[in-house]
Amino acid sequence: MSKDEDKKSSSSEIHQKLALIESSFNRKYGLWLVEKQSESSHSRGRNNSTNGDSSATPDISDTGKGRRSKTSRVKTGPELPHQPIHGFVNESLFLKNFLLKRKGSDEEFKALAIVGKFGVGKTTLCQDVFNDEDVKEAYLPRIWVSMYSEETKEGEDQKVAVLKRMLRSLGVEDEALELIRTEAEEEKRNTQEAGKTDEETVEEKELSRLLDALNSNLFGKRYLIVLDDVWEDNEWNQRLDDEKTPQEKTHLSCGFPKGFGGRVIVTSRDEGLAKKIVGEEENVQRLFPRSDVESVWEIYKDAFGEPMKDENGNVMRDAVEKVVLGKDGRPTKWVVNARYLGRYKKELMDKSGGVPWAAQMLATIEPLKNDEDKET
């Protein structure tokens, strides 16, 4: 078998394993986790927000290509996770290099897509780089846009909703945004009353004005924009680096001024969609499950609980514990202190597939006690 065939086979196996992990957790552990998390939420806090792509345990089933059920959508933000980030050293260096390494007076606009399966850490990786001190110094403004928001009104054009969120981040008041909509409606009404032909809808007129406003607010600035978790239902599938003619004034590229060193980072599970947005293959960075068992183990420990201490009060390496409330209201101590740590880590890798989110979810399940675990 050739090297290319080996690579394709390996990639296929990874995707199959990830799909199996998703469906397994969704079917078997969904209701159980909700019950357990409800019982022990006061003692566990928000541990599940680290190193994965969401701060909740969503229904991850997709309703079709590029589309998800509403229950699987989670609004994200630029804030760093509460727990340390593990296992993204090379990926972070690549992303920082994309943002910070410039050749001479490089003021070219660039867009990059981070693509990968659910839970591999796309959001966490971007949060890490977005908050880097060198990146903060190099880019102003920096805008984080969660492509899903519960604030989006029913029936509202998705592109309009996203642009409004960007403009609010830039300090544009809601009154100004409402005025843009009012002006679009008045223009459409006046055209119709004058008996003139106007095929442009009110939404298209509003979109055009919002794009102009975004361009004006970003013009002359070295900006960084993260568009997190893009899907087809966001209707955001136009290439961002195109220089469009004035007639194509609703093209999303019109909102991003060119020639000032601006950067846009897109995250998505859909590689085909990502390529439509950022263009060339070289502008797509794939994020795979972690292959470093120690990183996955650290993610698991952080999500599980606190480090154990011995009888002298000294922290025990690779041993963690937490207290949860049972159905009877009594506290119960959960402990991970494996006698054969290597086997335990291997089992963790096998069950999680190296996916950070899966490792976090495994940490919410009471450890099985067997003859390899120490009694405490």
Side-chain angles (χ1 to χ4, degrees):
M1 184 180 290
S2 67
K3 290 184 178 180
D4 288 342
E5 290 174 333
D6 283 339
K7 187 179 296 184
K8 288 180 180 178
S9 176
S10 176
S11 176
S12 176
E13 289 177 3
I14 289 174
H15 289 170
Q16 290 175 4
K17 193 165 190 176
L18 285 172
L20 183 60
I21 289 169
E22 290 187 13
S23 61
S24 176
F25 272 103
N26 190 47
R27 280 196 320 272
K28 299 180 181 179
Y29 299 135
L31 294 176
W32 191 92
L33 287 176
V34 169
E35 180 182 352
K36 283 293 184 183
Q37 289 170 343
S38 176
E39 292 173 1
S40 57
S41 59
H42 77 286
S43 64
R44 185 164 57 246
R46 297 179 59 190
N47 288 338
N48 286 351
S49 63
T50 308
N51 292 294
D53 283 339
S54 66
S55 58
T57 306
D59 172 7
I60 57 178
S61 58
D62 297 341
T63 58
K65 179 176 173 55
R67 297 185 178 274
R68 294 169 295 172
S69 63
K70 288 185 178 180
T71 55
S72 75
R73 299 177 178 223
V74 178
K75 183 177 180 179
T76 65
E79 300 81 11
L80 286 169
H82 295 284
Q83 299 290 349
I85 297 173
H86 303 285
F88 294 104
V89 176
N90 292 333
E91 291 85 353
S92 291
L93 288 174
F94 172 85
L95 206 49
K96 290 174 186 177
N97 184 65
F98 167 75
L99 294 173
L100 300 174
K101 188 174 182 180
R102 297 175 181 272
K103 298 179 180 179
S105 58
D106 180 13
E107 300 299 333
E108 180 184 1
F109 170 87
K110 293 181 180 179
L112 178 74
I114 308 295
V115 300
K117 291 287 186 176
F118 175 84
V120 296
K122 302 181 294 298
T123 296
T124 300
L125 171 62
C126 289
Q127 288 168 334
D128 181 37
V129 175
F130 191 85
N131 289 281
D132 180 81
E133 291 302 323
D134 291 332
V135 172
K136 288 182 179 179
E137 185 177 338
Y139 291 92
L140 187 68
R142 296 174 303 116
I143 304 173
W144 182 283
V145 184
S146 175
M147 297 302 286
Y148 169 72
S149 173
E150 295 178 355
E151 300 168 3
T152 302
K153 299 176 182 178
E154 188 71 27
E156 183 177 18
D157 183 281
Q158 291 294 316
K159 289 181 282 190
V160 167
V162 168
L163 287 169
K164 285 182 178 179
R165 292 203 287 275
M166 288 189 200
L167 288 166
R168 289 190 187 102
S169 298
L170 291 166
V172 177
E173 300 290 338
D174 284 338
E175 290 78 5
L177 299 177
E178 291 172 3
L179 180 59
I180 288 175
R181 175 71 182 191
T182 300
E183 290 177 346
E185 292 173 339
E186 288 180 352
E187 181 184 343
K188 182 69 173 181
R189 183 168 55 252
N190 292 337
T191 302
Q192 291 175 336
E193 290 175 353
K196 297 179 181 179
T197 302
D198 185 2
E199 296 181 356
E200 192 176 33
T201 66
V202 172
E203 285 71 23
E204 289 172 336
K205 292 180 183 296
E206 181 183 19
L207 179 60
S208 176
R209 285 172 167 77
L210 290 170
L211 286 166
D212 286 342
L214 179 62
N215 193 296
S216 298
N217 278 273
L218 294 177
F219 192 84
K221 301 173 182 177
R222 180 172 289 176
Y223 55 86
L224 169 61
I225 299 175
V226 174
L227 306 176
D228 189 40
D229 203 17
V230 181
W231 282 70
E232 286 285 1
D233 50 11
N234 294 124
E235 301 176 16
W236 194 281
N237 57 1
Q238 298 167 326
R239 185 162 171 172
L240 298 180
D241 60 356
D242 279 356
E243 296 287 357
K244 292 298 174 181
T245 60
Q247 290 87 346
E248 295 171 305
K249 56 185 179 180
T250 60
H251 196 286
L252 296 172
S253 175
C254 298
F256 301 108
K258 309 303 187 291
F260 304 104
R263 298 286 186 270
V264 176
I265 298 174
V266 175
T267 76
S268 180
R269 301 185 212 175
D270 188 335
E271 184 171 334
L273 174 62
K275 289 179 180 178
K276 290 181 182 178
I277 298 173
V278 301
E280 305 300 328
E281 173 77 18
E282 62 186 23
N283 298 330
V284 176
Q285 177 72 7
R286 297 168 186 83
L287 189 61
F288 296 104
R290 304 296 86 197
S291 58
D292 175 15
V293 65
E294 294 302 325
S295 295
V296 178
W297 172 239
E298 292 298 326
I299 292 170
Y300 175 83
K301 287 197 302 178
D302 288 345
F304 186 89
E306 300 297 325
M308 287 180 59
K309 295 182 180 179
D310 60 22
E311 60 274 10
N312 298 319
N314 299 317
V315 173
M316 300 173 61
R317 179 178 174 81
D318 288 326
V320 285
E321 64 182 358
K322 64 180 171 184
V323 176
V324 300
L325 289 181
K327 291 182 179 180
D328 58 1
R330 295 182 179 181
T332 302
K333 181 183 287 188
W334 288 4
V335 173
V336 172
N337 186 20
R339 176 177 299 172
Y340 302 103
L341 187 59
R343 295 182 187 177
Y344 202 100
K345 291 180 180 180
K346 183 180 183 302
E347 183 177 358
L348 174 64
M349 282 294 288
D350 289 341
K351 289 183 176 180
S352 70
V355 178
W357 175 83
Q360 291 171 342
M361 292 300 97
L362 286 168
T364 68
I365 301 171
E366 183 176 5
L368 296 176
K369 291 186 177 180
N370 53 51
D371 58 2
E372 291 186 2
D373 292 340
K374 292 179 180 178
E375 294 294 335
T376 58

